[in-house]
Amino acid sequence: MGSPPSDSSGPSSWSDQPPGPGRPAGPYGPRHGAGPPGPEYPGYGAGPPRLGGRWRRLFAGILDIVIVGIISSPFTYESFNTVWDTRKGVFVQIPVQHTLLASVVGFLYYWLLTAFWDGRTVGKKLFGLRVTDISGRRVGVGQAAIRELVAWVLYATCCLGWINLAFILFTGRKQAIHDMAAKTVVVDS
């Protein structure tokens, strides 16, 4: 007895197959179905948790931005450089904001907390969210660094930060571009 002949009109890959025995549907679709309980999903019970809600992600993000603003405020003061204006023939003062240092503080906040505080920032912790890899396991240090580096580059580039965030609305796993780059998702904790 052999296997039945393949039907060309049927599913072409694991992700196209409907849920059934051996192919349970999970929060990420049939391909990322509920896995067995155990060490691969520590603290999650019988599989990866549900994807985090978009509104909670928004409010957690706003809270984190406020916290980063408070932490980085000593680095964002305005100082003035006195330079010679050749057109006017006088010395003028030009305001200089220390945004590079503030950006470093923000990057470190998101990266270190995500990497070493079980995928959470303060905002994510308060709103019951965490960052995991796409299979529901804890995010690694390098993965968290890639995620935040891509996010910060996009935020620093004109309107790409808004486009990055808009991807959450249109992707099945609610992933922003930086999530896709690092192969991460934001889930309920």
Side-chain angles (χ1 to χ4, degrees):
M1 292 225 115
S3 60
S6 66
D7 179 11
S8 62
S9 65
S12 61
S13 71
W14 176 261
S15 63
D16 297 329
Q17 294 179 5
R23 294 182 310 276
Y28 310 135
R31 183 171 185 204
H32 298 284
E40 69 185 73
Y41 303 114
Y44 296 131
R50 295 178 335 129
L51 293 172
R54 292 176 176 103
W55 285 106
R56 286 188 298 135
R57 287 183 72 176
L58 173 67
F59 293 128
I62 290 170
L63 179 60
D64 284 330
I65 288 170
V66 169
I67 292 169
V68 168
I70 292 168
I71 294 170
S72 66
S73 63
F75 305 110
T76 58
Y77 65 91
E78 274 193 349
S79 62
F80 293 90
N81 283 344
T82 304
V83 296
W84 180 257
D85 187 341
T86 56
R87 291 181 301 151
K88 296 179 183 177
V90 295
F91 283 101
V92 294
Q93 288 188 333
I94 299 176
V96 178
Q97 282 193 317
H98 300 273
T99 55
L100 178 62
L101 289 174
S103 296
V104 169
V105 168
F107 173 81
L108 291 174
Y109 170 85
Y110 287 100
W111 173 49
L112 293 175
L113 286 179
T114 300
F116 296 106
W117 202 29
D118 198 24
R120 297 178 178 138
T121 58
V122 173
K124 284 183 179 68
K125 171 92 171 154
L126 291 175
F127 284 91
L129 300 168
R130 81 171 57 174
V131 178
T132 68
D133 71 4
I134 58 173
S135 61
R137 292 183 292 266
R138 185 178 178 146
V139 68
V141 175
Q143 222 173 354
I146 290 169
R147 183 178 192 271
E148 297 313 322
L149 183 63
V150 170
W152 283 93
V153 167
L154 291 172
Y155 296 147
T157 310
C158 186
C159 302
L160 293 182
W162 294 108
I163 293 170
N164 175 38
L165 295 177
F167 266 71
I168 295 169
L169 301 172
F170 304 109
T171 59
R173 294 183 190 166
K174 301 178 188 176
Q175 290 176 295
I177 294 170
H178 62 275
D179 287 312
M180 290 182 218
K183 298 180 179 155
T184 59
V185 289
V186 178
V187 298
D188 291 339
S189 59

